Amino acid sequence: MIRYIIRRLLISLPILLLGSFLSYVLVASAGNPLAEMRARPGVTEQQVQELAAELGLDKPVIARYWDWLTSFVQGDWGTSVALGQARAEVFPSVTEALWVTGRLVVGAELLALVLGVSVGVLAAVRQYSIFDYLATSTAFLMFSMPIFCVAVIIKSYGIEFNNVLQSMGVDRWLTTAGPPTEGFTGSIGDVIFKYTGTFLLPTLSLMLISFAAYSRFERASMLEIMHSDFVRTARAKGISNGRVVFRHAFRNALIPVATLFSLNFGAVLSGAIITERVFGWFGMGSLLVDSVRTFDPNMLMGWLAVTATLVVLFNLVADIVYGFLDPRIRLG
Amino acid sequence: MRRSKALPAVALFSSAALVLSACGGGGGGGDTEISNDVAAMAVAKGENESDASYTAPKVEDMGEVVVSTDKPYTTYNNATADGNNSYNTFALTLVQTGAYRLNGNEKVILNKDVMESVEVTSENPQVVTWKIKPGLKWSDGDSWDCDEFYMAWLAQSGKAKKADGSSFFQAAATNGHEQMDAKCEDATTFVGTFASPYPDYNGLFMNDVLPAHIGAQKAGVDDIKKITPSSTAELEKLADFWNTGWNGFDAAIMPGSGPYKITGYEQNQSVTLERNPEWAGNPGGPSKITLKAIPDPVAQAQALENGEVSVSFFAQPDANAADRLKGLEGQGVTFAASPGLSFEHFDLNFKNPVLADDAVRKAFFQCVNRQDIVDKLISNVQADAKPLGSLLFFPKDEGYTDVYSDKSTGSADEAKKTLEGAGYTQGADGIFEKGGQKVTFRISHTDIPRRKQTVELVQGHCKAAGIDIQDDTDPNFLDERVSNGDYDVALFAWSGGPWKSEKKSIYSTTGGQNWQGVSVPAADEALQSAVTQATQEKATPFYQTADKALADEYASLPLFQAPKMWSFKGVDRVYNQGYVGALWNANEWQTTS
Amino acid sequence: MANVNLSSSTTASPAEVGGKGSSTHEFDSTTARTQGQLVRRRFLRHRLAMVSSAVFVLLCVFAFVGPLLWTFDYEDVSSRSYLPPSGEHPLGTTQVGKDTLALLMRGTGFSLQIAIVVAIVATFVGVLFGALAGYLRGFVDTALMRLVDLLLIVPQIAVAAIVVKGLSGSWYVVALVLATFGWMQIARITRGETLSLAQREFVEAARAAGATTPRIIFKHLVPNMIGSITVNATLAVATAVLAEAALSFLGLGVQLPDTSLGVIVNENYGQITTRPWLFWGPFVVIVLISLAVNFIGDGLRDAFDPRQTKVRA
């Protein structure tokens, strides 16, 4: 097991190196982060050059990448080189952004998974029922929807809903612009009120899309397995319907969903980035867009380092989950 | 256009309604004056207009207030080249006090809470004396006095040079500090002696007056004044700290000298200000101010709509957010916009053979319909916006004259006549040419949507005049290309304001930022005279001469001032000041019913 | 993205797919039909797929023929800004005074163009790599499948951001970025089918007769996989439309002067309550394209593989 993990990590290493090199070079050679400085009246060329030298921007791109890499492997993630960013430390910037995005994504994905799998199983078991039609057509519709539009619509109606609440004399519940700065404080009731109010709308937008994928997927694989030979045999042996569905079919039908859940990382990330953008949260999405926009390769590298770690982690988890769900798979 | 009249009318009506209900005895605790007339909010309550001075007024506690703007605060030291940005000033304006304040009309106002006086005590050489009130303190208990001014000068004057000639301190700009020699006459008297007269002295020590005791401590000296531009060893230590030490957040080294101090910071998210107990003036209204960064303008507008923030202000105009906010007037939301301190302009490159011809430049000025550009790009946000008529003055400045509206008429016919009169003929494709040279050129700009839209509009305007314009969008345009003069027409923005000395480097023949290669002897002479006057009043006529001379050369065409906008609900007297944002008078804020 | 091949048909009614009567008469005719005829007939009977095809054709007409007939050019900025819908401007005008309908046609055109290029490139690369991996096996297989793994996990959004800023934001650059991330699914499916087809006698025979690898792949393997290739190519169009819109919405996709539906939504989503037509126009078109293409894909799946429908739906 441990050997397997190490091997997997070693395989990803050259890929990550290549990826980081290409990204660094592309962004660093795309533009000069200090360009806007020249548009400040009274700034002399010498000032621009001095700052460039101080930030190490005067060196060739390859040398800058090497500098970055050598400090990175020693645990120094470097500082931002973007103008106006005051050499913000990369590591805390990235972790802060991850914390914002992470809280949003984890909840939404878990909810989507639970809901998607249950709806998928129910739809498969009650094939051709009204529930099945409703569930499958909703999923189909959601699947064909651009997520950002869904988020825009949900947010807009959320605010309307708040107005209705207020007109009924209740406090405004749903918030749109990120978690409260002071955190969730107050009595337990207050905390729940604030917490749900903060997360409901973005979670809903994120969840709907993933839910569509999971429920469609689960229904399909559930149906396939229910028609497979071993389930038919189990039925023929006289095992009760519930037992067949849950002991035999369900467990096996989870395997493809588990694959999807872990491989879906890229899609989930872009979903989160879009949701964040619509709701004006400053998370991984804004960090990525800003670091590319301001030609800030150091910040981008930090972003990539964190996402790459997560990706590798997710893949490992997926493999381990397979092994757990499907005894035929042995890791070694 | 019609909206501009509607807004004050509605505002007047509602304020009248409030006054009436107050007379009717409704609502208690209302002896604070409430005004919704936004234009009047540009002048702070504590301002004494007769001698242009300010003292914080007595106000009631208004509790906590949440404010949002587009981008996050990043550093306590906003004077560094890599940290400098408006969003820092927006928060620090309440935290770091200074000799002067700016009001909403960009008038320079003496800060009487901390200053006794600022006087020109000698004309030749020009000597300026800043007298600080005695007994002022930072929130950590250390004194706020001449030391602070001294360190600001030391760091920003660029006089502290390393052996290789580069500066110890990476300051964003020198702003006149470089022309001055500084001395602390006593603990509260700072004397600056200028090498040549400098009219913009009242821009010095307005902000970025940082805690000298922290600097001294980091440099390992007991008195900051012991460090002179030649004490290399101490400078090394001080500069190291000054350049990066105040980045991020550490309450212990970031005290407040203004009415508020920073008590909380979440990177890229928010900064929290609370009242400074050591503040000598009257305490501010809000007990706590949270300044949030919401990167998307529409999201910011929605946050206000949803009651999550009470005030939101935007340094850049956004028509979508503006429309949304205007639609909320019925819910008690006030939306306002006013011209900002940066202006978009076309710089015509004299090195380009087509544009070197006076007739072509004149025709280009004539075909550009600036009113149409303003109507379509700006008036959605700021209903009373007008094209800008000067490169050196803003309409609110003393001495503004519109010297461009008769030159840029937006008339394709006039442009055609100009070209025909200069011997150009229209080719089969409708484009004018002379001697085989077609009247065609590029407009280069960075990838900001508004600039792209500007070019689209101008292409349409000038096509009708037989002038062919190509769009050149280059995200990296402001890098080497603009400073190498590698363009035909450049479209970007300069920031302006009450202090105009810095304009000399843009428009005089030998100026460091004169990338278009304009050379007007009359303007050179006038600019040189202007920047060596002792006061701004004396400099103004020279600037006017230079402005006129530049206009007659058809060198640069100012388009419009990018408006800033803001919106608020339940808070009285909010005005988004161009330099320092909406919090400049937040100490005066009160709750409205 | 990953789930297209496993998605079930949600559209076919039980009578159509489950009823014995409807499925038997395909085989009871006395004259033998070619596979192509059978597929065509089954597809034509799939009502939703037919309606969707009509919608899709109409959208293409709207995007590519519409601008020729419509009175306003998308570059025309002479109208006033933000006019409400009227007979003259059915969807009003934008901030700079462009006719929104003209802009929408152009945006739809770009979006479709991008999606179709993505589908073609992704299918070609996917089929080629998948067939190569499955046929040659060994080192080629391992290398290609590692590449698939890599691309499945690299965040497309980051690559798009970097490439669009670093190189150019033209529509074909965006299309290529999307294609780079769109071929893996097809490659996996093709590889799987190739693995089993390669064992069959006719491939063995061709190889024995001295056929080259490209010939075997394109003459023998690909024609036998045409069903799944067509279905997945179709579904790739829908995925690409949504992915492009999402990227452009973030400002990481198509850049002006090129445009797309995502760009139009990005510019106007703030108007959802004040000028709803500016938002709902492009939104409806995106949903229409993606729904229509998904339905067509489902119809094709049912047509090529009626067995799968019976088991799954």
Side-chain angles (χ1 to χ4, degrees), chain A residues 220-255:
Chain A
S221 63
M222 192 74 186
L223 279 176
E224 193 166 66
I225 285 167
M226 299 239 300
H227 288 91
S228 70
D229 293 338
F230 81 94
V231 170
R232 223 171 298 159
T233 315
R235 272 188 215 278
K237 283 202 302 192
I239 297 173
S240 77
N241 200 28
R243 212 176 142 81
V244 168
V245 168
F246 288 99
R247 277 299 283 277
H248 294 82
F250 178 65
R251 192 174 146 152
N252 284 292
L254 268 184
I255 296 171

Short mmCIF file of all heavy atoms in Angstrom, two decimals, chain A residues 220-255:
data_model
loop_
_atom_site.label_atom_id
_atom_site.label_comp_id
_atom_site.label_asym_id
_atom_site.label_seq_id
_atom_site.Cartn_x
_atom_site.Cartn_y
_atom_site.Cartn_z
N ALA A 220 -27.74 5.12 -13.73
CA ALA A 220 -27.29 4.28 -14.84
C ALA A 220 -26.55 3.05 -14.33
O ALA A 220 -26.84 1.93 -14.75
CB ALA A 220 -26.39 5.09 -15.76
N SER A 221 -25.60 3.26 -13.41
CA SER A 221 -24.81 2.10 -13.01
C SER A 221 -25.65 1.17 -12.14
O SER A 221 -25.48 -0.05 -12.18
CB SER A 221 -23.53 2.54 -12.29
OG SER A 221 -23.84 3.22 -11.12
N MET A 222 -26.58 1.71 -11.40
CA MET A 222 -27.48 0.89 -10.59
C MET A 222 -28.31 0.00 -11.50
O MET A 222 -28.46 -1.21 -11.26
CB MET A 222 -28.38 1.82 -9.78
CG MET A 222 -29.17 1.16 -8.70
SD MET A 222 -28.13 0.72 -7.29
CE MET A 222 -29.32 -0.17 -6.33
N LEU A 223 -28.85 0.59 -12.57
CA LEU A 223 -29.68 -0.19 -13.50
C LEU A 223 -28.85 -1.30 -14.14
O LEU A 223 -29.31 -2.44 -14.25
CB LEU A 223 -30.23 0.73 -14.59
CG LEU A 223 -31.47 1.52 -14.21
CD1 LEU A 223 -31.86 2.46 -15.34
CD2 LEU A 223 -32.62 0.58 -13.87
N GLU A 224 -27.62 -0.94 -14.53
CA GLU A 224 -26.79 -1.94 -15.18
C GLU A 224 -26.58 -3.13 -14.26
O GLU A 224 -26.68 -4.29 -14.67
CB GLU A 224 -25.46 -1.31 -15.56
CG GLU A 224 -24.66 -2.15 -16.51
CD GLU A 224 -23.52 -1.35 -17.12
OE1 GLU A 224 -22.61 -0.94 -16.37
OE2 GLU A 224 -23.56 -1.11 -18.33
N ILE A 225 -26.31 -2.81 -13.01
CA ILE A 225 -26.01 -3.90 -12.09
C ILE A 225 -27.25 -4.70 -11.74
O ILE A 225 -27.21 -5.92 -11.60
CB ILE A 225 -25.30 -3.33 -10.84
CG1 ILE A 225 -23.88 -2.99 -11.24
CG2 ILE A 225 -25.33 -4.30 -9.70
CD1 ILE A 225 -23.15 -2.17 -10.28
N MET A 226 -28.38 -4.01 -11.64
CA MET A 226 -29.61 -4.74 -11.32
C MET A 226 -29.97 -5.72 -12.44
O MET A 226 -30.70 -6.68 -12.23
CB MET A 226 -30.77 -3.76 -11.11
CG MET A 226 -30.48 -2.82 -9.95
SD MET A 226 -31.65 -2.84 -8.62
CE MET A 226 -33.13 -2.36 -9.38
N HIS A 227 -29.48 -5.44 -13.65
CA HIS A 227 -29.75 -6.37 -14.75
C HIS A 227 -28.61 -7.37 -14.93
O HIS A 227 -28.61 -8.13 -15.88
CB HIS A 227 -29.98 -5.61 -16.06
CG HIS A 227 -31.29 -4.90 -16.08
ND1 HIS A 227 -31.43 -3.61 -15.66
CD2 HIS A 227 -32.53 -5.31 -16.44
CE1 HIS A 227 -32.69 -3.24 -15.77
NE2 HIS A 227 -33.39 -4.26 -16.24
N SER A 228 -27.62 -7.31 -14.07
CA SER A 228 -26.47 -8.18 -14.27
C SER A 228 -26.76 -9.58 -13.72
O SER A 228 -27.69 -9.79 -12.96
CB SER A 228 -25.24 -7.60 -13.61
OG SER A 228 -25.42 -7.67 -12.22
N ASP A 229 -25.90 -10.51 -14.09
CA ASP A 229 -26.14 -11.92 -13.77
C ASP A 229 -26.12 -12.19 -12.27
O ASP A 229 -26.97 -12.90 -11.75
CB ASP A 229 -25.07 -12.78 -14.45
CG ASP A 229 -25.25 -12.73 -15.96
OD1 ASP A 229 -26.38 -12.40 -16.38
OD2 ASP A 229 -24.29 -13.01 -16.69
N PHE A 230 -25.17 -11.58 -11.57
CA PHE A 230 -25.06 -11.97 -10.15
C PHE A 230 -26.25 -11.46 -9.35
O PHE A 230 -26.69 -12.11 -8.41
CB PHE A 230 -23.71 -11.56 -9.56
CG PHE A 230 -23.60 -10.11 -9.14
CD1 PHE A 230 -23.88 -9.77 -7.83
CD2 PHE A 230 -23.21 -9.13 -10.03
CE1 PHE A 230 -23.76 -8.46 -7.42
CE2 PHE A 230 -23.11 -7.82 -9.62
CZ PHE A 230 -23.38 -7.47 -8.32
N VAL A 231 -26.81 -10.34 -9.76
CA VAL A 231 -27.99 -9.86 -9.05
C VAL A 231 -29.19 -10.76 -9.37
O VAL A 231 -29.98 -11.12 -8.50
CB VAL A 231 -28.29 -8.39 -9.40
CG1 VAL A 231 -29.64 -7.96 -8.85
CG2 VAL A 231 -27.19 -7.49 -8.87
N ARG A 232 -29.25 -11.16 -10.65
CA ARG A 232 -30.35 -12.05 -11.03
C ARG A 232 -30.24 -13.37 -10.24
O ARG A 232 -31.22 -13.90 -9.74
CB ARG A 232 -30.31 -12.32 -12.54
CG ARG A 232 -31.68 -12.26 -13.16
CD ARG A 232 -31.62 -12.32 -14.67
NE ARG A 232 -30.89 -11.19 -15.23
CZ ARG A 232 -30.34 -11.21 -16.45
NH1 ARG A 232 -30.42 -12.28 -17.21
NH2 ARG A 232 -29.72 -10.14 -16.89
N THR A 233 -29.01 -13.84 -10.10
CA THR A 233 -28.79 -15.07 -9.34
C THR A 233 -29.25 -14.88 -7.90
O THR A 233 -29.93 -15.73 -7.32
CB THR A 233 -27.29 -15.43 -9.34
OG1 THR A 233 -26.80 -15.26 -10.65
CG2 THR A 233 -27.08 -16.84 -8.85
N ALA A 234 -28.86 -13.72 -7.33
CA ALA A 234 -29.23 -13.46 -5.94
C ALA A 234 -30.74 -13.47 -5.78
O ALA A 234 -31.28 -14.05 -4.84
CB ALA A 234 -28.66 -12.11 -5.51
N ARG A 235 -31.41 -12.85 -6.75
CA ARG A 235 -32.88 -12.84 -6.69
C ARG A 235 -33.42 -14.26 -6.80
O ARG A 235 -34.33 -14.65 -6.07
CB ARG A 235 -33.43 -12.02 -7.86
CG ARG A 235 -33.57 -10.56 -7.58
CD ARG A 235 -34.32 -9.95 -8.76
NE ARG A 235 -33.86 -8.60 -9.04
CZ ARG A 235 -34.29 -7.54 -8.37
NH1 ARG A 235 -35.18 -7.66 -7.42
NH2 ARG A 235 -33.84 -6.35 -8.65
N ALA A 236 -32.82 -15.01 -7.73
CA ALA A 236 -33.30 -16.36 -7.96
C ALA A 236 -33.15 -17.20 -6.70
O ALA A 236 -33.96 -18.09 -6.43
CB ALA A 236 -32.52 -17.00 -9.12
N LYS A 237 -32.11 -16.89 -5.93
CA LYS A 237 -31.90 -17.64 -4.68
C LYS A 237 -32.94 -17.28 -3.64
O LYS A 237 -32.98 -17.87 -2.56
CB LYS A 237 -30.50 -17.33 -4.12
CG LYS A 237 -29.41 -18.07 -4.85
CD LYS A 237 -28.14 -18.22 -4.02
CE LYS A 237 -27.58 -16.88 -3.59
NZ LYS A 237 -26.23 -16.98 -3.03
N GLY A 238 -33.74 -16.24 -3.94
CA GLY A 238 -34.83 -15.89 -3.03
C GLY A 238 -34.46 -14.87 -1.99
O GLY A 238 -35.15 -14.70 -0.99
N ILE A 239 -33.34 -14.18 -2.21
CA ILE A 239 -32.97 -13.12 -1.27
C ILE A 239 -33.96 -11.97 -1.43
O ILE A 239 -34.39 -11.64 -2.54
CB ILE A 239 -31.53 -12.67 -1.55
CG1 ILE A 239 -30.58 -13.83 -1.30
CG2 ILE A 239 -31.16 -11.48 -0.68
CD1 ILE A 239 -29.16 -13.56 -1.68
N SER A 240 -34.31 -11.36 -0.32
CA SER A 240 -35.35 -10.32 -0.36
C SER A 240 -34.90 -9.14 -1.22
O SER A 240 -33.70 -8.88 -1.37
CB SER A 240 -35.63 -9.83 1.06
OG SER A 240 -34.60 -8.97 1.47
N ASN A 241 -35.88 -8.44 -1.72
CA ASN A 241 -35.61 -7.35 -2.65
C ASN A 241 -34.70 -6.29 -2.03
O ASN A 241 -33.71 -5.88 -2.62
CB ASN A 241 -36.95 -6.73 -3.08
CG ASN A 241 -36.78 -5.95 -4.37
OD1 ASN A 241 -35.91 -6.27 -5.17
ND2 ASN A 241 -37.59 -4.92 -4.54
N GLY A 242 -35.04 -5.87 -0.81
CA GLY A 242 -34.26 -4.83 -0.14
C GLY A 242 -32.81 -5.25 0.01
O GLY A 242 -31.88 -4.49 -0.25
N ARG A 243 -32.62 -6.53 0.39
CA ARG A 243 -31.28 -7.02 0.59
C ARG A 243 -30.50 -7.05 -0.72
O ARG A 243 -29.32 -6.67 -0.76
CB ARG A 243 -31.38 -8.43 1.17
CG ARG A 243 -30.25 -8.79 2.11
CD ARG A 243 -30.50 -10.17 2.68
NE ARG A 243 -29.24 -10.90 2.79
CZ ARG A 243 -28.38 -10.73 3.79
NH1 ARG A 243 -28.67 -9.89 4.75
NH2 ARG A 243 -27.26 -11.39 3.83
N VAL A 244 -31.18 -7.45 -1.79
CA VAL A 244 -30.52 -7.49 -3.09
C VAL A 244 -30.07 -6.08 -3.48
O VAL A 244 -28.92 -5.84 -3.85
CB VAL A 244 -31.47 -8.05 -4.17
CG1 VAL A 244 -30.89 -7.82 -5.56
CG2 VAL A 244 -31.71 -9.51 -3.93
N VAL A 245 -31.01 -5.15 -3.33
CA VAL A 245 -30.70 -3.79 -3.76
C VAL A 245 -29.52 -3.25 -2.97
O VAL A 245 -28.58 -2.70 -3.54
CB VAL A 245 -31.95 -2.89 -3.61
CG1 VAL A 245 -31.56 -1.43 -3.77
CG2 VAL A 245 -32.99 -3.26 -4.64
N PHE A 246 -29.56 -3.40 -1.64
CA PHE A 246 -28.54 -2.70 -0.86
C PHE A 246 -27.27 -3.50 -0.65
O PHE A 246 -26.19 -2.93 -0.69
CB PHE A 246 -29.16 -2.19 0.45
CG PHE A 246 -30.06 -1.03 0.16
CD1 PHE A 246 -31.44 -1.20 0.08
CD2 PHE A 246 -29.53 0.22 -0.12
CE1 PHE A 246 -32.26 -0.14 -0.25
CE2 PHE A 246 -30.35 1.28 -0.45
CZ PHE A 246 -31.72 1.10 -0.51
N ARG A 247 -27.39 -4.81 -0.45
CA ARG A 247 -26.17 -5.56 -0.22
C ARG A 247 -25.41 -5.79 -1.52
O ARG A 247 -24.19 -5.72 -1.56
CB ARG A 247 -26.49 -6.92 0.42
CG ARG A 247 -26.67 -6.85 1.92
CD ARG A 247 -25.40 -6.37 2.60
NE ARG A 247 -24.38 -7.41 2.70
CZ ARG A 247 -24.37 -8.32 3.67
NH1 ARG A 247 -25.29 -8.31 4.61
NH2 ARG A 247 -23.42 -9.24 3.70
N HIS A 248 -26.14 -6.09 -2.57
CA HIS A 248 -25.45 -6.50 -3.79
C HIS A 248 -25.32 -5.37 -4.80
O HIS A 248 -24.22 -5.03 -5.23
CB HIS A 248 -26.19 -7.68 -4.43
CG HIS A 248 -26.13 -8.91 -3.58
ND1 HIS A 248 -26.99 -9.12 -2.53
CD2 HIS A 248 -25.30 -9.97 -3.63
CE1 HIS A 248 -26.68 -10.26 -1.96
NE2 HIS A 248 -25.67 -10.81 -2.60
N ALA A 249 -26.46 -4.79 -5.15
CA ALA A 249 -26.42 -3.82 -6.25
C ALA A 249 -25.78 -2.51 -5.83
O ALA A 249 -24.86 -2.01 -6.48
CB ALA A 249 -27.82 -3.58 -6.78
N PHE A 250 -26.23 -1.96 -4.71
CA PHE A 250 -25.83 -0.62 -4.31
C PHE A 250 -24.32 -0.49 -4.17
O PHE A 250 -23.69 0.42 -4.69
CB PHE A 250 -26.54 -0.24 -3.02
CG PHE A 250 -26.18 1.10 -2.49
CD1 PHE A 250 -26.50 2.25 -3.20
CD2 PHE A 250 -25.50 1.24 -1.28
CE1 PHE A 250 -26.17 3.50 -2.72
CE2 PHE A 250 -25.16 2.48 -0.80
CZ PHE A 250 -25.49 3.61 -1.52
N ARG A 251 -23.76 -1.45 -3.47
CA ARG A 251 -22.33 -1.38 -3.21
C ARG A 251 -21.52 -1.34 -4.49
O ARG A 251 -20.57 -0.58 -4.64
CB ARG A 251 -21.94 -2.60 -2.38
CG ARG A 251 -20.56 -2.46 -1.81
CD ARG A 251 -20.28 -3.59 -0.88
NE ARG A 251 -18.87 -3.91 -1.01
CZ ARG A 251 -18.17 -4.43 -0.04
NH1 ARG A 251 -18.74 -4.74 1.09
NH2 ARG A 251 -16.90 -4.67 -0.21
N ASN A 252 -21.94 -2.16 -5.45
CA ASN A 252 -21.20 -2.18 -6.70
C ASN A 252 -21.47 -0.94 -7.54
O ASN A 252 -20.61 -0.48 -8.28
CB ASN A 252 -21.57 -3.43 -7.50
CG ASN A 252 -20.88 -4.63 -6.93
OD1 ASN A 252 -19.67 -4.74 -7.02
ND2 ASN A 252 -21.64 -5.48 -6.27
N ALA A 253 -22.69 -0.44 -7.42
CA ALA A 253 -23.04 0.72 -8.22
C ALA A 253 -22.34 1.97 -7.71
O ALA A 253 -22.32 2.99 -8.37
CB ALA A 253 -24.55 0.93 -8.21
N LEU A 254 -21.77 1.90 -6.52
CA LEU A 254 -21.07 3.07 -5.98
C LEU A 254 -19.72 3.28 -6.63
O LEU A 254 -19.19 4.38 -6.62
CB LEU A 254 -20.87 2.91 -4.47
CG LEU A 254 -21.95 3.49 -3.57
CD1 LEU A 254 -21.53 3.32 -2.13
CD2 LEU A 254 -22.19 4.96 -3.88
N ILE A 255 -19.18 2.19 -7.21
CA ILE A 255 -17.80 2.29 -7.71
C ILE A 255 -17.65 3.39 -8.77
O ILE A 255 -16.80 4.26 -8.62
CB ILE A 255 -17.33 0.92 -8.25
CG1 ILE A 255 -17.29 -0.06 -7.08
CG2 ILE A 255 -15.95 1.04 -8.88
CD1 ILE A 255 -17.05 -1.47 -7.50
#
